[in-house]
Structures are given as structure tokens and as C-alpha cells.
Amino acid sequence: MELKETVREKYGEAALRVRTGGSSCCGSAPSAIGCCDPITSNLYDSSQTGAIPEEAVLASLGCGNPTALATLNPGETVLDLGSGGGIDVLLSARRVGSGGKAYGLDMTDQMLALARENQQKSGIENVEFLKGEIEDIPLPDNSVDVVISNCVINLSGDKDRVLREAFRVLKPGGRFAVSDVVVRGDVPAEVKHSMELWVGCIAGALRDYDYVAKLARAGFDAIDIEPTRVYSIEDARQFLTASGIDVDKIAPQVEGKFMSAFIRAVKPSAKECCGPSCCS
């Protein structure tokens, strides 16, 4: 609960900064000095950012662009876990067209208010923003075709429950397609904690093979992790030095071990499903 409240507070503050003309950058520093810039910048191309309100772009705190990598077809229903200012929901809604629908789920009132403002400005109608937690999705079983998320699952203190819930709401044959931060290999605990704070403000990044195992336990099939950016020690040098860490000393233990990744999985079709809810 302490982690959840910290996440809620920080993302609420980020939404308020955007609504008052500031930056959504993690912490109090402006993005110009690079606090979260190596992770959150340059994720969307001009063809995407030009089609939605600027505030939706400014409020993006993701580590990837799931809408660019996920297969979204006309008429499908998409759910974005931790939808923030709504950028991925609005982009998904345009992809699935008027015959489809995009849901955004967020627990932060300020982000929901910002997302709804962005929807109104965009004129996109096939969108609905829901208040709730990603560990307890307020949608029925077998109701969405695609679950996306952008650097949010790593913030949950109960990732197994998040993945079970994503599995539950997906239709048989539905796709899980998220961007998230993962760790590759072993990193000393104190260094891992500092790097996670830098990467996601308050992240709890899983090791890549742990992510695969949790998805499999939830019932998913066809699991794949595709690195989209591997972070170097130089990306985090300023943050780690300010935290009192000897960067050059720890570099061999950290270099190349933190990465943003696109994580894919599929809920088996009903005839082959063996998960807890896919055949219900």
C-alpha cells in the first residue's frame, strides 16, 4: 500500500505539472537536465504526436511505444493498463477505428482528469477512461482483444495479480503487448535499487526470465521479450553520482543490464486453454 500511494502521489504531481504548463519529468527537476529523459524521450514519431493533444505527449512517462509495436486491427477492443494522460489510448483508438474501442485504466484522479481533457480536445469518441487499479481491472472476463501498457507493470507490488487480471479480461486468442523495464542478469541489491529509482522513478523491474515465468504461470503462451533500448551506465551517471554512488566502480556490474523491452504473449484459444479463467 505504501508503494501504491507513492506511485499515486508522484503521478498525480506529474499530471498537475502538465496541466499548469510544466514537465511530467520524474522528480522536481526539469527534463532539460535529463532526469528521466533517456527513458521517456523520443518514443513517438511526429505522425503520432501531431494527431493528439500536446498535453497527452507531455504527460507520457513511458519507456516505450507499445502502439507502434503491437498489432491492432480495426474493430478490436484495447485496454491500456496505467493509461496516464491518455497518449497510448488515443493512439490505439485511432488504430482500431470507429468500430473498435480503447479503454484506459488509471488509479490517479489527476491523470484521469487530464486524459479526459485530452480526449475531448482530440475529438476521438471510441475511448473510455476507467478509474481503478491494474491489480483489479473493472472489466468482465474475456472482454478485450489486446492489453497494452507502457512502463507501468514494473510499478506494481503484485505483478502476478496484474498478469492474472490481464489474462482474465483477454478473450481467448487475445494478445498481451506491453512496454516495460526489465533487468538482464544479476545486479547487486543496493545498485539495483538505485538504478530502478532512476529508470522508473519508483520501479520494481523484474529480471527477464522472471517476467517470462510469471506470464507462463498466469496462463500465457507464445511469450517473447524484445529489447528496445539497453541503458548504459552513462545514461544514469548524473543520477547515480548525486545519490553518492561511485559510478566507475559499479559500471561493470550494471552496464547493459537494464533495458526497456517490448513484451508479447498470447492467451491460448479456448480449445487449448489451461489458465484459471480463459475457458470461463
Side-chain angles (χ1 to χ4, degrees), residues 29-67:
S31 59
I33 69 167
C35 62
C36 285
D37 248 13
I39 296 95
T40 63
S41 63
N42 302 318
L43 300 178
Y44 302 89
D45 62 36
S46 58
S47 67
Q48 293 176 307
T49 58
I52 57 175
E54 181 184 13
E55 290 81 359
V57 181
L58 292 173
S60 174
L61 289 164
C63 59
N65 183 350
T67 62

Side-chain angles (χ1 to χ4, degrees), residues 44 52 60 64-67 78 80 83 86-93 102 148-150:
Y44 302 89
I52 57 175
S60 174
N65 183 350
T67 62
V78 182
D80 181 16
S83 49
I87 183 170
D88 293 318
V89 179
L90 298 176
L91 291 173
S92 296
I148 65 171
S149 186
N150 198 346

Side-chain angles (χ1 to χ4, degrees), residues 88-207:
D88 293 318
V89 179
L90 298 176
L91 291 173
S92 296
R94 291 174 64 89
R95 293 268 301 278
V96 300
S98 59
K101 185 162 186 176
Y103 288 100
L105 176 63
D106 206 282
M107 67 177 183
T108 308
D109 289 329
Q110 295 92 332
M111 278 295 187
L112 286 167
L114 178 61
R116 288 167 180 148
E117 288 179 10
N118 289 330
Q119 179 193 356
Q120 187 174 23
K121 291 176 183 176
S122 73
I124 299 173
E125 297 182 351
N126 57 326
V127 165
E128 184 176 350
F129 289 101
L130 308 171
K131 183 174 181 180
E133 299 176 355
I134 62 175
E135 298 86 359
D136 188 16
I137 299 171
L139 287 173
D141 296 355
N142 309 316
S143 57
V144 302
D145 297 289
V146 186
V147 168
I148 65 171
S149 186
N150 198 346
C151 206
V152 172
I153 294 174
N154 73 81
L155 299 174
S156 173
D158 191 348
K159 297 174 181 62
D160 289 301
R161 186 172 176 181
V162 175
L163 299 179
R164 289 195 302 268
E165 278 289 275
F167 188 90
R168 177 185 66 80
V169 300
L170 278 170
K171 299 173 184 177
R175 287 105 62 201
F176 179 87
V178 310
S179 293
D180 219 341
V181 174
V182 297
V183 183
R184 186 165 48 186
D186 294 322
V187 179
E190 68 278 9
V191 175
K192 182 173 184 289
H193 177 66
S194 294
M195 286 292 287
E196 285 173 350
L197 288 173
W198 171 72
V199 168
C201 296
I202 23 171
L206 290 171
R207 287 178 291 192

